[in-house]
Amino acid sequence: MTGFRSVPVPAGSEATVSFNGRELAARAGEPLAATLLANGVRTVASGVYTDRPRGIVGLGTEEPCGYVRVDSPPIESMAQATRVETHDGLCARSLNGYARLPEGEEAPRGDRVWAHCDVLVVGAGPAGIAAATAAARAGARVILACDAPQPGGGLAGEWDAAEGTAAREWQEPRIAALRDEPELRLLTRTTVTGLYDHGEVVALERRPHAAASGGAVHRLWHIRAGRTVLATGSCERPIVFEGNDRPGVMLAGAAVGYARRHGVLAGQRAVVFGCHDEALWAAVALHEAGATIVAVADARPAPGPAPVAALYERGIGVLTASGVTRTTGGSGGVLSAATVAPIDSDGNATGEGRSFPCDLLAVSGGHDPATALAAHSGGRKRWSPEHAAFLPDQTPPGVRLAGAAAGTRNPAAARDQGERVGHAAAVEALAHESATDGAEVADDGAAAPVVGSGHTPPMALWTVADARTDERRAFVDLHRDATLADIRDAIGAGMTSIEHIKRYTTIGTGPDQGRTSGVPATGIVAGLLDRTMDEVGGTGSRPPWVPIPLTAVAGRELGELFDPARRTPMHDWHVAQGAVFEDVGQWKRPRYFPREGEDMRAALQRECRAARESVGALDASTLGKIMVEGRDAGTFLDRIYANNFSTLRPGRCRYGVMCTADGMVLDDGVAVRLSDTQYMCTTTSGNADTVRAWLEEWAQTEWPELCVHITDVTDHWATISVVGPRSRDVMARLAPREDLSAEGFAFMTYRDTTVLGVPARILRVSFTGELTFEVNVPAWYGRAIWEAVMAAGHPYGITPYGTEGMHLLRAEKGFIVVGHETDGTVTPVDVGLGWAVSKRKDFVGKRSLWRPDTAREDRQQLVGLMPEDGDHVVAEGAQLVAERPGSVPVSMQGHVTSSYLSPALGRSFALGLLSQGRERHGDRVYAVHLDEAVPVTVTDPVFYDKEGSRRDG
Amino acid sequence: MLLIPCPWCGPRDEAEFRYGGQARVAYPEDPWALDDTAWAEYLFVRDNPEGWFAERWFHTAGCRRWCDVMRDTATNRVAGSAPTGASLTEVTK
Ligand SMILES: [Zn+2]
């Protein structure tokens, strides 16, 4: 047993947790890492790429090694033991190598939350508490986000006992007062993961306690902040030497943190090694907590007198100008001794080392302000030799830093700075000053780093080595198992940029974002290349600061709520009839209505035969319907459509096609002129939003002088297409007083009337070639009129058909569907709609039809395709080639756009786009798909009723 | 996510908008007066500066109106917005 509790678990807080199947006594709410250390569990996991044992190194998000899997709810496939809160019944295991998502387990639920505030304060140490309090008292609405379960987490440096006590005495009442501030919202267990443009901040809130009740265990906050104060503290960095990855080697500040915050000593016999005063104070703190200090090594020839004196009082000497050159492993490879040798300022041993048996090696190479969040939106940092750290240099617009994040390590100075910065942020936010320029930190007195009194400068130390050092065992990135030798290899391979070296060695690419490895890597590279720290720089920091579970990103946008489904008024009827549905845009449309024992092919043949031979019915409600109204509606549509609409008489319909400015087909459909000033334009299902936005864009931005109003009325109307030679008989039963004759109700006209007393717009249009009445009724009546149509058609065997039948019937007639026969590279002329392109007037895109490329003679054109084997249905999307199978080279000449088995033709057929296709009718080409090349004959695209004799019944 | 100042609705999240590219590229008065090269320029060629840029945004999930926004493409700073056709504060650096 190495670790132990210096403070017993208080009564009422006892918990039992399971780790790798072993039951451990825990204090409820402490980090799992503290439980493991208290129970002498030293090896927590093994390396990602090596099987070397690894233990707890850090205290929080910087932990590179101690990864576990949590099997009790809420399950986590990969978590840092330093950030898993214990509770009775927690069950966790070592994570060795890569994490795997649990199979068959329900993923924890997440939620997303949106919030606004004047001032966001990130971090609730002394600086953050002071900043939030000052901002709230200045009248700002404040959000204080704190990664820990309670505010007050990290006192930078922890300093000596007296200062620590003073800091806590200052802090305790202020933490209590935070909850009394009416406009201050305290978010605990909430980690800010990214800073984005214009004050946008994303934060992840952990709610492990919600798992039991089935609540959201994560909340992803999207905060829009007027000003942001980063009081994010600092990251402690290790020092690289041989065997620095053994369980038992820890960051000195983390070892002190476990002792002070959790009453847990990570080891009984400690060696402490550092290169700055705070590491010496850590030795004092560990001794205070009950550890035996075996040796203290400081790389500096002259460490700070105050901590040296404090250690001397305790009977502890300091080995100056000394460092740990290597560790020795005992059973299972865990730390059993550390070798301390005299070293020079580069960390090279200058004499023989001495081995000190120990079970804890507390190491500290210094502290780097945690400025990654500032870097997300453009902040920069520079190396300060005086602090031996990268300090923030320029902060992004609206962002300020305070406390250790600004380089201020003394708690009293940090809280003073926090107060000034918080107040200034509130004043600016409340004045609604726009956050424009990034502040030069040096110009902002409030943000300049403050160094404590009696300060002796730290030293920058990256590595310690002697002649025997095995650099393959000297780890720079403990998570990625990347070593000093790897950096040397990268440089040997010619890399000099830190970004390249990062990617070559993978240093800093782990889920811990290389918090403990980034700066040491820069220091090592600077030394090897003989460059300055600023010349080498650091790698870019990108969000998220901590991993965000995808379930939190998804929130409730899952399953049914992933994308809203649109359903027609007749939807439930279709469901009751056993329709098979497909998605068309957001719409759910019946694809076909299979009867008992029918497959799609059989159902389709039956449905299409009914429409051609008797009567069928299609729910066409999803057809886009856009009202274009106003004095200039006709003029407007003339400019939009390729053909003329101002000349259309009220009461009549016309097919139109519209193009984008580059002359490509955007959409097509029938428009009806309801009155002099009103048109209803129909669009392809699923394209109504696009067309509406297109019309709005031109009306607003190019022709604001035209009086037009554009309204999408798609779901105001239910649309029923009654199709087939008996459709007139069906309609006669529904509207007995109407003249439905071919002469009385002519093709391409419309009638405003009633059907069974319901107001109706009936259009005589046809998308199948058959006699068709397209009945539009207000959506509320859709289901009733649909059922009335089915009842009236019963004597004629009326058959509902779906999108598959609709596509087949129109393809037999050679009618295009936008998105099938067109793909944004096809002009109206290409698909045989040249007749709909006005020769006289101009319209959007017309000029483009005369561009050299669109006028090219070998453009792909719409053709019919007859497979030579009439039973074979070629694949849609198959390439069309002229060469026989097996010959090379092969030139792609087009592709199959639609392909079906036709009941009317008694054989298969297809539509396609083929280079110079209109001149190649009768030619044989091959439709190539996967391993098959099917011979097909090029034909006219109209297969059925070329004369158009059936449209009037 | 940008915060875009809609002239009618005030500052709103970028997610409510659709981007419309460079502003003030009018559909040519007489397309037929342009030769093929000039027409292709209109169709396909736009400025892509690093710095201040007048661009169009369409408030699709809001008032459904187009506006012009002056934005620095390097820093995402926004200098102002105006209804299409209205004058927009010029920013030069
Ligand atoms: Zn708006």
Side-chain angles (χ1 to χ4, degrees), chain A residues 238-608:
Chain A
I239 298 168
V240 178
F241 47 84
E242 184 181 330
N244 61 335
D245 65 326
R246 291 189 193 281
V249 182
M250 275 184 93
L251 290 168
V256 173
Y258 287 110
R260 286 238 172 108
R261 295 187 210 171
H262 305 298
V264 169
L265 259 184
Q268 307 207 13
R269 297 171 58 77
V271 170
V272 179
F273 169 37
C275 49
H276 56 95
D277 284 2
E278 286 180 47
L280 300 176
W281 286 118
V284 174
L286 291 173
H287 185 261
E288 176 80 28
T292 302
I293 306 299
V294 179
V296 177
D298 193 313
R300 298 171 297 175
V308 170
L311 284 166
Y312 183 77
E313 277 170 28
R314 291 165 186 271
I316 303 165
V318 175
L319 299 163
T320 58
S322 297
V324 173
T325 50
R326 65 177 44 76
T327 62
T328 309
S331 136
V334 303
L335 177 76
S336 63
T339 303
V340 178
I343 57 171
D344 63 17
S345 61
D346 291 328
N348 295 314
T350 55
E352 275 306 299
R354 183 181 154 198
S355 177
F356 293 92
C358 57
D359 59 5
L360 172 65
L361 172 51
V363 180
S364 183
H367 298 86
D368 292 295
T371 56
L373 291 175
H376 290 173
S377 47
R380 272 171 282 172
K381 56 190 184 179
R382 78 187 144 75
W383 181 255
S384 164
E386 191 206 342
H387 298 82
F390 278 111
L391 297 190
D393 187 24
Q394 192 172 27
T395 57
V399 177
R400 285 181 157 79
L401 296 141
T408 302
R409 300 216 49 84
N410 177 295
R415 68 196 184 219
D416 289 349
Q417 188 180 37
E419 200 167 303
R420 286 198 303 278
V421 167
H423 186 266
V427 169
E428 271 183 24
L430 293 171
H432 295 288
E433 281 175 30
S434 69
T436 50
D437 289 301
E440 293 286 343
V441 173
D443 294 346
D444 183 350
V450 180
V451 176
S453 57
H455 175 84
T456 302
M459 170 181 164
L461 180 70
W462 315 115
T463 59
V464 177
D466 62 18
R468 292 185 297 117
T469 294
D470 178 357
E471 293 191 347
R472 303 226 160 261
R473 295 283 177 272
F475 289 86
V476 180
D477 189 324
L478 291 159
H479 186 265
R480 307 308 287 171
D481 273 334
T483 64
L484 196 49
D486 293 326
I487 293 185
R488 226 181 259 285
D489 287 350
I491 290 173
M495 267 154 263
T496 55
S497 153
I498 190 71
E499 296 285 358
H500 292 160
I501 292 166
K502 166 182 175 173
R503 283 152 185 83
Y504 189 89
T505 60
T506 75
I507 288 171
T509 60
D512 60 341
Q513 295 204 326
R515 292 201 232 299
T516 55
S517 59
V519 177
T522 295
I524 292 164
V525 170
L528 292 174
L529 293 176
D530 198 20
R531 294 184 179 178
T532 67
M533 292 297 282
D534 285 325
E535 281 166 355
V536 175
T539 57
S541 296
R542 276 173 286 273
W545 165 251
V546 297
I548 300 175
L550 288 175
T551 48
V553 177
R556 297 183 185 212
E557 291 160 40
L558 300 167
E560 277 277 288
L561 300 180
F562 177 64
D563 194 26
R566 301 177 75 182
R567 297 180 174 86
T568 73
M570 298 81 115
H571 183 83
D572 292 346
W573 189 93
H574 304 322
V575 173
Q577 295 295 309
V580 174
F581 287 85
E582 72 168 332
D583 292 341
V584 179
Q586 289 177 320
W587 288 103
K588 299 288 176 194
R589 295 198 74 178
R591 193 171 178 203
Y592 56 98
F593 293 83
R595 286 186 182 162
E596 189 76 32
E598 275 184 341
D599 59 7
M600 183 173 91
R601 180 172 157 156
L604 188 58
Q605 301 298 302
R606 172 178 53 73
E607 290 171 14
C608 292

Side-chain angles (χ1 to χ4, degrees), chain A residues 95 148 161 246 266 322 438 495 716 863 911 946:
Chain A
L95 179 66
R246 291 189 193 281
S322 297
M495 267 154 263
H716 297 200
V863 292
L911 296 174
K946 282 186 204 294

